[in-house]
Structure formats: C-alpha cells, structure tokens
Amino acid sequence: MGLLKIFFWGLVISFLGTLPPGTLNVAAMQIGVQESIVNAINFSIGTIVTEMIFARISLVGINWLRKQKILFLWLEWITFAIVIALAVGSFLAAARTHPNPKNFMLVNDMNRFVLGLFLSAISPMHVPFWFGWSTILFTKKILKPNAPSYNVFVLGIGAGSFLGCGIYIFGGRYIVEELNTNVHILNWVIGSVFALTAVIQLGKILLHKDSAEKLQHLEDIRDQ
C-alpha cells in the first residue's frame, strides 16, 4: 500500500506539472499535428525517459549535480536558443502558403524518440523540480529513502508525464481535425507559446534564478 501511494504521488505531481504549456509538450503536439500520432508518442516517450533518469538522479546524486553550475548555465542558454528557434520556425510556418506548413526545426530525419531524448536532456529544469518535490515528500514521510520507493516514484513520474503529453498530442489533433482549425492559426498559437517560454527562460537566466541556485536552496532546506 505504501508503494502504491508513492506511485500515485509521482503520477499526480508529474501529470499536473505537464499540463502548463511548455517547450516539450507543445513540441509533441506540433509533431502530432504536422506528422503523426506515432511520431508524437515516440517523441514524448523520449522526453519522459530523460525526465525519469533526471528524477532518479535527483534522489541520490544531488551533491554531484549541485556542483555542475557551469554546465547548468550552458544548458540554460542552449535551451533558450532552441526555444527561440522553435518559435521562429512556428511563425515562419504560419506565414507560409503551404497547406500543411511545418516548423523548420522538425524538418529532419532524426528519430523522434532520439529527438525527445535530446531536447529533454538539455532542459535542466527537471532536476530542481523533482528535487523540490522529493524534499516535500521526504518531509511528509511519504517518500522513503530506499531503492524500491525511489523506483516506484520514478515509474509514477513516467506514467503521469505520459498522460499529460497525451492530452496535448490527441487534443492538438482533435482541434485540427474535428474543429476544422486552420493549421496556420495553430502555428501562430504554438509560436506564441514558444516565444513566451523563451522570454520567461531569459528572465530566469538574467535574474540568476537558474537551476544550480535552486538546487543549492533546496539542498539547504533538506539539510535543515
């Protein structure tokens, strides 16, 4: 019963954390609309696998991660550049006269699972997010400091993220196919989401609210 409770917490937190529009879930929706549901699911699985790995590491290897401040800073800037490129690609696709305009960032032969792994791997926000929640769950005596609890918690995270991404993937297809939404309009909306995400990302970097500092703060809380 204890492990089931831990799985449930991982699922719920991950599901709710996936619902706000972000780079990865919106990209999954865009792939689902412009390519296929299968490609979108493969992309999402790739992002989820990386998230699960980061979440597992955040439970046991936080001391090493906290020392990688330069690495996190570089990843923050790389993520910002990619989000900008996705925004520009969406806006350019929206302006094209092609009946099914495609974001130029997605015009490649890279396996969508591998693409998901890559984009998720350079997003360092997974680590402070899950380290913060695990700190809360440790404090509440819900998460236990042992391997079975960690593994079940990570499985719950994967399940929750998959459900959240599914809403974007199938929701995006429904909007386009059933509600006859113009793909160009959808690209304008997606581009706007990416642009807003980029602005938020830049603000965090300039205000020094980066992942390394968040990890330090959370480490201090856990040590109390």
Side-chain angles (χ1 to χ4, degrees):
M1 190 64 181
L3 292 179
L4 183 61
K5 183 178 181 180
I6 293 172
F7 177 87
F8 175 78
W9 273 102
L11 185 151
V12 171
I13 294 170
S14 182
F15 175 73
L16 295 178
T18 308
L19 291 183
T23 305
L24 300 177
N25 50 22
V26 173
M29 180 178 70
Q30 195 168 35
I31 292 173
V33 170
Q34 298 180 342
E35 295 182 5
S36 68
I37 293 294
V38 172
N39 281 356
I41 290 176
N42 287 336
F43 173 84
S44 294
I45 292 174
T47 67
I48 292 167
V49 167
T50 305
E51 180 181 16
M52 292 172 68
I53 292 173
F54 278 157
R56 186 65 174 82
I57 292 174
S58 73
L59 294 170
V60 294
I62 200 64
N63 288 329
W64 179 85
L65 289 170
R66 187 166 49 83
K67 296 176 183 176
Q68 311 306 311
K69 188 169 184 177
I70 299 300
L71 173 61
F72 277 118
L73 183 59
W74 273 104
L75 289 176
E76 296 274 5
W77 280 108
I78 292 172
T79 301
F80 171 71
I82 290 178
V83 175
I84 285 290
L86 287 169
V88 171
S90 295
F91 288 140
L92 292 176
R96 291 174 60 191
T97 56
H98 192 280
N100 186 28
K102 192 173 182 180
N103 190 324
F104 73 87
M105 286 288 289
L106 300 178
V107 182
N108 57 69
D109 296 326
M110 182 181 292
N111 180 280
R112 291 320 184 208
F113 173 79
V114 176
L115 181 62
L117 283 175
F118 170 72
L119 291 181
S120 185
I122 63 171
S123 178
M125 292 309 297
H126 296 308
V127 178
F129 178 84
W130 286 114
F131 187 68
W133 273 108
S134 64
T135 299
I136 294 173
L137 296 178
F138 277 127
T139 303
K140 300 294 184 181
K141 308 297 183 182
I142 295 173
L143 188 60
K144 308 298 181 182
N146 57 61
S149 295
Y150 293 163
N151 294 335
V152 170
F153 184 59
V154 169
L155 288 175
I157 290 171
S161 293
F162 188 77
L163 291 175
C165 287
I167 290 178
Y168 278 86
I169 294 171
F170 291 99
R173 292 286 288 195
Y174 177 83
I175 290 173
V176 171
E177 294 179 355
E178 300 299 325
L179 303 184
N180 295 317
T181 301
N182 189 294
V183 176
H184 292 80
I185 295 176
L186 188 63
N187 276 322
W188 281 115
V189 173
I190 291 175
S192 298
V193 172
F194 283 138
L196 178 60
T197 302
V199 171
I200 295 173
Q201 176 80 1
L202 180 61
K204 289 180 178 179
I205 295 174
L206 296 179
L207 293 174
H208 304 292
K209 294 183 177 180
D210 55 31
S211 300
E213 292 191 5
K214 288 181 179 179
L215 286 175
Q216 178 65 65
H217 176 66
L218 291 169
E219 180 77 0
D220 293 339
I221 292 176
R222 184 176 285 191
D223 289 340
Q224 292 177 358

